[in-house]
Amino acid sequence: MRRARLLIGAGLMVVVVSGCSTDDREWMKLDQKYTTEEFRRDYRECSRSGKLDDECMRSRGWVAVQPGKADPQQRPDPLSRPTGRQRY
């Protein structure tokens, strides 16, 4: 019985820890050359309490290659009327 509780507790810890994933987005500067050390410095300075501050990264010239959940992609409204002529 004690062993079962220990295994269940360990399993729950694995689930909790795996749910706390890190930010896997890639960042780059579009019109500038940069080094890995520059990126690491900016990433470290823009991270507070283990969470990356996107606005801080953008203010330093970085652009997220894959937008995260906090960066919704702009999608056109399928019900809006297009401007200009359309070809069929």
Side-chain angles (χ1 to χ4, degrees), residues 29-43:
K29 289 187 178 182
L30 298 177
D31 298 329
Q32 302 174 29
K33 290 188 177 189
Y34 55 89
T35 65
T36 303
E37 184 54 39
E38 290 172 319
F39 171 76
R40 288 179 183 159
R41 180 200 62 220
D42 290 346
Y43 191 90

Side-chain angles (χ1 to χ4, degrees), residues 1-68:
M1 184 68 154
R2 185 176 174 133
R3 181 178 252 174
R5 286 184 188 174
L6 182 62
L7 288 174
I8 291 172
L12 287 174
M13 287 299 292
V14 168
V15 170
V16 168
V17 170
S18 66
C20 300
S21 64
T22 59
D23 190 348
D24 292 335
R25 288 180 292 166
E26 296 178 14
W27 294 82
M28 65 181 287
K29 289 187 178 182
L30 298 177
D31 298 329
Q32 302 174 29
K33 290 188 177 189
Y34 55 89
T35 65
T36 303
E37 184 54 39
E38 290 172 319
F39 171 76
R40 288 179 183 159
R41 180 200 62 220
D42 290 346
Y43 191 90
R44 182 176 56 250
E45 291 176 1
C46 290
S47 295
R48 296 186 180 99
S49 302
K51 183 172 171 143
L52 182 65
D53 182 2
D54 291 355
E55 289 301 317
C56 178
M57 289 294 281
R58 288 187 195 110
S59 71
R60 295 171 185 244
W62 296 99
V63 177
V65 177
Q66 303 114 344

